[in-house]
Amino acid sequence: MISLATLGRDLMPKTPFRADDTGAERYEIAAVSNALAIVGAMADKGVISLADARDAAGVTKTTAYRLLATLRLAGVAEQLPEGGYRPGREAVRWASRIMAGLDVRAAALPTMHRLQAETGETVNLALIRGTTLLYVEILESPSSFRMADVPGSTAPIHATALGRVIARHLDPARLASMLGPEPYPAYTAKTARTYAEFKARLDRSEGSIAVDNEEVAVGVVCTAAPILVAGEVLGALSVSAPRARCDDARLEDLGRRIATAAEVVSGKLATTP
């Protein structure tokens, strides 16, 4: 029987922690690092042997086998009948989702930069990820007075122009799963708290854009348009600005600009193999 002490020695890295300027090594978990090394080897080679996994992770053959077994249970690795291991379905699914996000971001960035230069305001790109709407790129306004989230944060469906503009293109069941249970979180006194309120504002929206009028933050407005490919909504682009420098006429102009920008990005994606 293998003792905990022996298992602990097996899982410790065979090379000392690197002392670079990030300091991240202090928080490294050896078993996770070893598993990631094996995943990297599968990504590079396609199919690896147990010996390859051992060498990639720098661990014993027994530990490499355990790590591969764990990856198999998670669907990240698949054992082939003739021997060897390759990336599993979950690894392929994750990679596909990441690449989809990168493709949209790459297609959108030139248009986003042009829009930021034209308007001087913050330009946002958010994509649907499961039941959330995730900011994947934000180009902040150069002005000292601005409003911006951070990439990786979520956009509340019920309170944002981004959320409303994608909601029009979702089937009811998917929209319900993204909205979640009522009452919805209130960010300001203007935030919709129920589906009835949300639906009423959705119905009042015109054309291909939606507007958030101080529903997420007091003093901030935002207008958004959807990114569509073959009728499927992938996400949306938006421009956000302080209300103090964005009267109704300027908000209408930003709406026209964001609608055009979203059409350009959608067109690029539609013609990308």
Side-chain angles (χ1 to χ4, degrees), residues 66-270:
R66 290 174 178 164
L67 291 169
L68 283 164
T70 302
L71 292 171
R72 283 174 55 208
L73 287 172
V76 178
E78 177 187 354
Q79 187 172 13
L80 300 174
E82 63 273 19
Y85 300 82
R86 69 180 179 188
R89 289 184 178 180
E90 281 300 297
V92 174
R93 186 174 68 86
W94 293 347
S96 297
R97 291 175 65 184
I98 290 169
M99 287 307 298
L102 291 175
D103 288 345
V104 177
R105 180 180 174 276
L109 265 177
T111 302
M112 291 177 69
H113 279 293
R114 282 196 298 272
L115 191 60
Q116 183 202 40
E118 291 172 3
T119 64
E121 303 297 353
T122 298
V123 182
N124 312 284
L125 169 64
L127 300 179
I128 298 172
R129 289 291 175 265
T131 58
T132 61
L133 186 59
L134 196 71
Y135 287 104
V136 297
E137 186 60 68
I138 296 174
L139 303 182
E140 290 192 39
S141 166
S143 301
S144 56
F145 183 27
R146 61 185 183 270
M147 176 65 183
D149 274 280
V150 294
S153 60
T154 57
I157 305 298
H158 68 286
T160 58
L162 289 162
R164 271 206 292 278
V165 85
I166 70 156
R168 295 176 185 161
H169 302 276
L170 298 175
D171 64 74
R174 190 174 187 192
L175 176 57
S177 69
M178 295 185 76
L179 284 168
E182 300 178 53
Y184 310 139
Y187 300 100
T188 74
K190 295 185 177 182
T191 306
R193 302 294 310 280
T194 66
Y195 180 74
E197 288 180 275
F198 173 80
K199 184 68 164 56
R201 295 181 191 186
L202 199 62
D203 292 342
R204 286 198 301 270
S205 300
E206 295 181 2
S208 61
I209 64 168
V211 174
D212 150 25
N213 189 8
E214 301 184 79
E215 295 168 50
V216 176
V218 174
V220 177
V221 294
C222 184
T223 183
I227 296 173
L228 302 165
V229 176
E232 181 180 357
V233 63
L234 304 182
L237 283 173
S238 72
V239 176
S240 53
R243 187 55 156 161
R245 61 171 181 256
C246 194
D247 59 18
D248 290 346
R250 184 159 192 255
L251 191 57
E252 282 187 24
D253 177 65
L254 291 177
R256 287 190 291 270
R257 291 177 185 273
I258 199 67
T260 300
E263 286 178 4
V264 170
V265 175
S266 298
K268 284 184 181 179
L269 291 168

Side-chain angles (χ1 to χ4, degrees), residues 38-51:
I38 292 173
V39 172
M42 286 191 295
D44 289 339
K45 297 182 178 181
V47 177
I48 64 172
S49 65
L50 179 58

